[in-house]
Amino acid sequence: MSSQSASTSNTDWPGRYHHIDQVLNSPGPRTDPAFLAGDGVKDFLRHQAKILVIGAGGLGCEILANLALTGFKDIHVIDMDTIDISNLNRQFLFRTKDVGKPKATVAAEFIMKRVPGVKVTPYFGKIQDKDDNYYMQFNLVICGLDSVEARRWMNATLVNLVDPENPESLKPLIDGGTEGFKGQARVILPTITSCYECSLDMLNKPTAFPICTIANTPRLPEHCIEWASVLEWPRVQGDKKMDTDDPEHIGWLFSVAAARAKEFNIEGVTWSLTQGVVKNIIPAIASTNAIISAACCNEAFKIATSSAAYLNNYFMLIGTEGVYSYTFEHEKRDDCPVCGGEALELTFSADLTVEGLIEMLVEKQDIQIKKPSLSSPKSQIYLQAPPQLEEATRPNLAKRVSELVPNGGEVTVTASTLPFSLSLRITYT
């Protein structure tokens, strides 16, 4: 079949669904009790189900292809990025001619050209651009993101959508993520199972090197690169802000780090490593993307058709030494700011300042809120924006929290990047 006829045809080729129909034509020993085998479930999958894919990068490309070949025919995709030449080694829907174009648009066109009858609707922009009505139209959502902030926003949005009086408002979220040879896939049923925010403390902290090691006794190429970016850049460049996307800035760091490495007989400083260290990039592995995207799409198929029990609720892959995987049920947190109903208990010294509390909220593993604003039932403690209110509340930064909030009192934490608030119950020591 020519590419032109493939792009315009709405017919299915003979035997297209032969293997999938083996699953959908009759129940099996692990079939969900709600499964109704036959034409009804096949019609829903191929003509009624509407699915949203967030991200059209390494995971997203694989997810889109898998969904189209599984039988989903109404797919939407959101991505705010454009294609870079470095994407081409693993994001296989893109070609050299596509560099600079929106990922969502190019991925959608490629899938529709190669898989007849599938409609992929792209949106080049941010997930925050869309309102609740947009997300309500989908049967389920799959995230193939590389951003924790975007995952948190999407998770909170879907939890907030749930109306107990309307079962259709519950949109299952399937989240996939990779980190080198490691990866995970999970199924989140908003308000029912553990949500993304519940597992925030499982995220790896970015690697940090002691300043004394960087400055005096470097042993690794990463130490030399950190020395160049953390110590030498401000010394030489002054107040000039480093742009980690600027090739000239990366080039300067690379040359300075390479000279430092030569001085200490350290090998391994390269351009790509320099970029990876300063941008905290973990190399993406195509095979990991393929496995995790397959796991995500398998769960989407099971949820859409009820043909088998879906994952409960967390799958992990570790491929650093051999191939090892396991599943477990991650439990809900009662004090989760998104899906829990209780305030988070926080204990600290009565001498801690408001500025110290803000630093704690940024760094604490199970909170991790950037640029938090704080308020109590009686007053605004500190607001990051707008500028007038930030200036008005700035004097409170030097005050002790105990001067503003009584022992056992509550503090509400908000951030412009997250569509939820966190309640803290404060206890002093």
Side-chain angles (χ1 to χ4, degrees):
M1 181 180 290
S2 68
S3 61
Q4 184 176 2
S5 62
S7 63
T8 58
S9 172
N10 286 322
T11 60
D12 295 327
W13 60 86
R16 174 175 182 175
Y17 299 119
H18 173 75
H19 297 289
I20 290 176
D21 284 351
Q22 304 299 308
V23 177
L24 300 181
N25 280 335
S26 58
R30 297 182 180 275
T31 299
D32 188 288
F35 176 60
L36 298 174
D39 293 337
V41 68
K42 290 187 281 187
D43 180 70
F44 176 79
L45 175 68
R46 294 160 195 169
H47 301 111
Q48 298 178 46
K50 184 180 287 190
I51 190 165
L52 174 64
V53 177
I54 302 177
L59 272 177
C61 283
E62 294 271 2
I63 289 170
L64 288 169
N66 288 346
L67 291 175
L69 293 171
T70 301
F72 291 95
K73 290 190 174 181
D74 191 355
I75 305 168
H76 291 238
V77 59
I78 295 182
D79 198 296
M80 62 179 287
D81 287 341
T82 54
I83 299 164
D84 184 79
I85 195 165
S86 63
N87 301 147
L88 303 184
N89 71 330
R90 64 192 181 281
Q91 298 174 21
F92 64 92
L93 300 184
F94 310 138
R95 302 292 182 266
T96 306
K97 63 180 175 60
D98 300 321
V99 170
K101 297 178 182 177
K103 287 184 177 180
T105 305
V106 175
E109 291 173 352
F110 193 103
I111 293 295
M112 288 190 289
K113 182 178 179 180
R114 291 290 291 269
V115 187
V118 174
K119 180 185 177 185
V120 184
T121 305
Y123 176 69
F124 174 46
K126 299 180 179 180
I127 54 176
Q128 293 86 348
D129 296 343
K130 300 296 188 180
D131 60 15
D132 288 353
N133 289 332
Y134 175 80
Y135 293 109
M136 277 291 289
Q137 66 180 304
F138 301 105
N139 296 101
L140 58 91
V141 178
I142 302 183
C143 282
L145 291 161
D146 59 1
S147 163
V148 171
E149 291 299 317
R151 281 190 175 97
R152 294 175 75 179
W153 191 93
M154 194 69 248
N155 172 75
T157 297
L158 294 183
V159 170
N160 293 337
L161 273 185
V162 176
D163 176 2
E165 303 296 322
N166 178 16
E168 294 296 317
S169 65
L170 193 153
K171 309 297 179 183
L173 172 63
I174 301 168
D175 179 61
T178 64
E179 187 177 271
F181 287 102
K182 300 177 183 179
Q184 84 280 331
R186 62 187 302 184
V187 172
I188 296 170
L189 301 180
T191 71
I192 296 176
T193 65
S194 163
C195 76
Y196 185 81
E197 199 75 18
C198 291
S199 60
L200 211 57
D201 57 350
M202 292 178 63
L203 297 177
N204 292 331
K205 285 186 176 180
T207 302
F209 301 107
I211 289 292
C212 56
T213 300
I214 295 170
N216 303 314
T217 55
R219 299 182 300 278
L220 301 171
E222 290 85 353
H223 292 163
C224 301
I225 297 167
E226 282 284 291
W227 176 82
S229 63
V230 174
L231 299 177
E232 281 299 281
W233 178 274
R235 187 183 72 80
V236 176
Q237 305 289 350
D239 294 332
K240 184 177 180 181
K241 187 177 179 181
M242 183 194 304
D243 182 357
T244 56
D245 291 318
D246 189 329
E248 289 187 10
H249 291 191
I250 297 296
W252 186 91
L253 293 172
F254 168 58
S255 61
V256 171
R260 174 82 164 175
K262 185 176 181 181
E263 179 184 350
F264 285 88
N265 296 317
I266 297 171
E267 297 180 352
V269 174
T270 63
W271 175 285
S272 60
L273 182 63
T274 302
Q275 191 177 43
V277 169
V278 298
K279 297 182 72 172
N280 196 33
I281 294 173
I282 296 169
I285 309 297
S287 57
T288 310
N289 286 341
I291 295 169
I292 296 302
S293 63
C296 289
C297 294
N298 192 34
E299 296 308 318
F301 177 79
K302 290 190 289 185
I303 291 172
T305 64
S306 299
S307 56
Y310 52 78
L311 176 68
N312 183 29
N313 52 22
Y314 208 113
F315 163 78
M316 295 196 74
L317 170 74
I318 301 175
T320 47
E321 297 178 11
V323 179
Y324 173 69
S325 67
Y326 65 100
T327 62
F328 66 96
E329 181 181 359
H330 192 281
E331 296 184 357
K332 289 183 69 174
R333 274 174 45 199
D334 291 334
D335 58 5
C336 173
V338 174
C339 70
E342 299 181 6
L344 178 64
E345 303 281 348
L346 206 58
T347 302
F348 49 80
S349 168
D351 294 326
L352 186 73
T353 64
V354 171
E355 187 171 20
L357 175 59
I358 288 174
E359 291 176 2
M360 180 188 295
L361 295 175
V362 172
E363 296 175 2
K364 204 168 185 302
Q365 272 291 93
D366 57 348
I367 299 177
Q368 297 186 47
I369 295 182
K370 298 178 181 177
K371 295 186 177 181
S373 293
L374 312 179
S375 62
S376 70
K378 293 184 178 180
S379 66
Q380 305 288 356
I381 299 173
Y382 178 70
L383 299 179
Q384 299 275 357
Q388 298 91 335
L389 290 178
E390 191 282 329
E391 185 177 353
T393 56
R394 194 182 303 161
N396 287 340
L397 289 174
K399 295 181 180 180
R400 293 180 298 176
V401 179
S402 56
E403 296 176 43
L404 305 169
V405 181
N407 192 34
E410 288 199 3
V411 172
T412 301
V413 184
T414 58
S416 60
T417 56
L418 298 172
F420 62 86
S421 60
L422 169 65
S423 294
L424 302 176
R425 183 171 290 111
I426 306 299
T427 303
Y428 301 115
T429 58

